[in-house]
Amino acid sequence: MQKFINIAQVQLPGPSFVTIGNFDGLHRGHQALLRQVIAVAQEAFATGAINTPPQSGLITFDPHPLAVLRPQKPHFLLTTPQERLDLAAQLGIDFGVIQSFTSKIAQLEAHEFISLLKTHVGLAGLVVGPDFALGRGRKGDLNTLRALGETYGYTLHVIEPIVGREGPVRSSLIRQSLQEGDVTTAADLLGRFYHVQGEVISGDQRGR
């Protein structure tokens, strides 16, 4: 996987099929979405909708938008941005962008962000979930994004969410499960056991 920091520093010729989101945890729902990004890209090439072999990409944010928009509200993350890209790479995603989320980025209109994607990754397809919205005030809803597709020359693909025993698989549900000590449900939603990474610091060795 090619990994980048900030979309403005990327210069890929495209065509690219991209999905955008926080993807915290890279859970089963995210995994299904990423597989669809790859499938949609392959189908577009196989059917002749595009003539150049496409790339699949993921754009995630750091810090989490809530840390900028609601800094007073505690929010713990299931994965670091780098872990998200590593997990996405295992699924076959070609490139990942860790976009710095700032108040300036939050104020971009949907068409401005789409313009960045068209310029820097050659956007040919956008793959999202049914509740996705982009841009300032979440004004870039699905209808807006379809209309922008006609202007900027990309297709919009909406993928239904994965539903588990507790309903749609969501990062917030995984956080709740972990806080309640229900690691079994968390593992089921994640599609793997939850773990944390970091430096191991030796104690006083009193346990010996």
Side-chain angles (χ1 to χ4, degrees), residues 100-176:
S100 177
F101 192 88
T102 62
S103 56
K104 182 178 180 180
I105 287 291
Q107 292 301 310
L108 286 180
E109 299 290 348
H111 72 89
E112 293 176 304
F113 201 90
I114 291 296
S115 179
L116 285 173
L117 295 178
K118 193 67 179 182
T119 299
H120 293 281
V121 302
L123 180 67
L126 182 61
V127 184
V128 300
D131 58 351
F132 181 82
L134 180 69
R136 183 162 65 94
R138 293 177 57 84
K139 295 179 181 178
D141 59 14
L142 298 183
N143 289 333
T144 299
L145 293 173
R146 286 193 183 94
L148 288 173
E150 298 179 6
T151 301
Y152 287 92
Y154 69 87
T155 54
L156 179 69
H157 305 265
V158 182
I159 307 302
E160 290 302 315
I162 296 296
V163 178
R165 292 176 296 182
E166 306 295 330
V169 179
R170 299 185 184 279
S171 301
S172 57
L173 184 56
I174 298 170
R175 294 189 195 97
Q176 178 183 336

Side-chain angles (χ1 to χ4, degrees), residues 24-30 76 78 169-180 182-183 185-192 194:
D24 187 28
L26 223 294
H27 55 58
R28 287 173 49 213
H30 297 145
F76 88 85
L78 300 167
V169 179
R170 299 185 184 279
S171 301
S172 57
L173 184 56
I174 298 170
R175 294 189 195 97
Q176 178 183 336
S177 298
L178 291 172
Q179 289 171 334
E180 294 174 352
D182 186 356
V183 295
T185 296
D188 178 62
L189 296 172
L190 283 167
R192 64 183 186 282
Y194 176 72

Side-chain angles (χ1 to χ4, degrees), residues 33-48:
L33 179 61
L34 294 180
R35 291 190 181 99
Q36 284 299 310
V37 174
I38 296 170
V40 167
Q42 291 174 341
E43 182 180 8
F45 184 57
T47 59

Side-chain angles (χ1 to χ4, degrees), residues 1 15-19 34 37-39 41 54-58 92-96:
M1 170 189 272
S16 295
F17 287 74
V18 172
T19 187
L34 294 180
V37 174
I38 296 170
Q55 287 189 300
S56 57
L58 172 150
I93 295 295
D94 295 313
F95 70 89

